[in-house]
Amino acid sequence: MSSQLAIARLRRDLTLGSLVKALLLVGVFLCVLLGAAFDNRYGDVVLLMVLAVVWITLGYRSMRGSRLAAGSPSLIAAGQFDLAEYQIEQALRTFSLFRTSKLLSLHHLAVLRHAQRRWADAVVPCQALLRQRLGGLKGLSRQSRLILADSLLELGDLRGVYEAIAGLYTQRLSLAEAMKLLTVQLDYLSRVHAWEPMLAGLSTKVQLAELMNTASAARTQALLALAAHQRGHETWAVWVAWLKRRVELLVNVNELVRERPILAALWSESAVPPVPSVFPNANQMDEAK
């Protein structure tokens, strides 16, 4: 299913769901009103029972769509993209009275497209979600902004990246969201050559990088090493050497440079500074500043 078709189905179903709920409520009101106006002992009760059956039936179908939506993240994490796409498509095609299941399904589609590295297709559902009233799903706004920013980075839209992450700095983020924001932020700042902001709170950023998965940790530490390298002061050499060594232990440097050519400057030098055996301390950090 294309992102545009998924968004069209979302809008249609949200409108239809709101209309059905409004009609059911109007039906209940009319049953009560007619029951009070006419001396009919069973007519209004029968109508209310019919409306209740309709509500329960639609609610059951809605719960089915919610269960389909809930199962997709684990499939995406396991790399079963085809099965995840099938479940997301079924969830989007299934009518639901509940906005949450539809919004979650669209979010999972964005997560899937991001995992598939289909950056342009990941951008569209994220932008659509951010235009919706999320209510109790406000957490989706933060996650959608992070996926949107990362996808726009891959597409080279730096202005879009800035706009996507600007609203996150004033929000309370989970640890996972803070780590993701750090990777996106460093990647963005390196592209605009903002080396000073990259090095602010360096020790904390390095510690966060240690909690990331292998690929993210390597990229984060490499970007920090690049920022320290670009400062050009000899006092930063201990950080550059230590961070480079950490990266080399985690990933194949050639593949990392292939993904981010800007990092080639770190491994193009013929002379390599001595590698420290321990994490640089606070005094070395102050001297570098």
Side-chain angles (χ1 to χ4, degrees), residues 21-35:
K21 286 188 286 186
L23 289 175
L24 288 173
L25 289 174
V26 169
V28 171
F29 176 75
L30 289 176
C31 287
V32 174
L33 188 63
L34 291 174

Side-chain angles (χ1 to χ4, degrees), residues 78-268:
Q80 301 180 32
F81 296 153
D82 291 339
L83 186 54
E85 180 146 8
Y86 173 77
Q87 287 203 0
I88 292 170
E89 184 173 351
Q90 291 302 307
L92 287 169
R93 290 182 185 277
T94 303
F95 174 77
S96 177
L97 286 173
F98 311 131
R99 286 172 52 87
T100 54
S101 63
K102 290 295 180 180
L103 294 173
L104 279 171
S105 297
L106 189 63
H107 172 68
H108 293 158
L109 180 62
V111 174
L112 174 63
R113 294 294 180 250
H114 183 266
Q116 292 173 324
R117 304 177 70 85
R118 293 170 57 177
W119 312 119
D121 288 335
V123 167
V124 177
C126 287
Q127 292 175 332
L129 272 174
L130 292 173
R131 288 193 291 266
Q132 294 291 327
R133 292 180 292 103
L134 297 178
L137 297 175
K138 290 183 178 180
L140 289 187
S141 172
R142 300 191 299 270
Q143 297 172 33
S144 295
R145 284 182 179 277
L146 290 170
I147 294 173
L148 175 62
D150 196 35
S151 300
L152 290 174
L153 263 177
E154 299 293 342
L155 295 172
D157 184 355
L158 298 183
R159 181 175 181 178
V161 175
Y162 174 78
E163 293 174 352
I165 64 176
L168 293 173
Y169 295 118
T170 57
Q171 298 188 37
R172 181 185 293 273
L173 305 179
S174 67
L175 178 60
E177 291 167 346
M179 291 190 296
K180 184 61 181 177
L181 176 59
L182 177 60
T183 60
V184 173
Q185 180 192 47
L186 291 176
D187 212 338
Y188 166 75
L189 292 174
S190 70
R191 299 190 188 202
V192 296
H193 296 174
W195 311 119
E196 289 285 348
M198 290 177 69
L199 294 173
L202 180 58
S203 298
T204 302
K205 290 176 179 177
V206 171
Q207 291 169 2
L208 276 177
E210 294 292 328
L211 301 176
M212 299 176 184
N213 61 54
T214 302
S216 298
R219 181 183 296 181
T220 299
Q221 293 182 102
L223 289 170
L224 290 172
L226 177 65
H229 173 78
Q230 293 294 336
R231 286 291 304 273
H233 299 299
E234 292 183 1
T235 48
W236 283 102
V238 64
W239 277 100
V240 176
W242 187 84
L243 289 168
K244 283 175 59 178
R245 180 57 178 162
R246 294 292 300 164
V247 174
E248 290 162 359
L249 291 172
L250 292 173
V251 296
N252 184 318
V253 172
N254 293 328
E255 293 181 2
L256 183 62
V257 171
R258 193 178 303 116
E259 292 179 359
R260 291 294 184 272
I262 194 173
L263 296 174
L266 287 173
W267 284 276
S268 63

Side-chain angles (χ1 to χ4, degrees), residues 27-78:
V28 171
F29 176 75
L30 289 176
C31 287
V32 174
L33 188 63
L34 291 174
F38 299 97
D39 187 15
N40 190 328
R41 187 173 299 178
Y42 303 107
D44 55 340
V45 175
V46 171
L47 288 175
L48 283 173
M49 290 180 65
V50 170
L51 292 174
V53 170
V54 172
W55 179 269
I56 292 171
T57 303
L58 293 176
Y60 175 78
R61 289 177 59 85
S62 302
M63 289 177 61
R64 181 187 172 193
S66 299
R67 287 196 299 268
L68 286 171
S72 2
S74 58
L75 293 173
I76 296 172

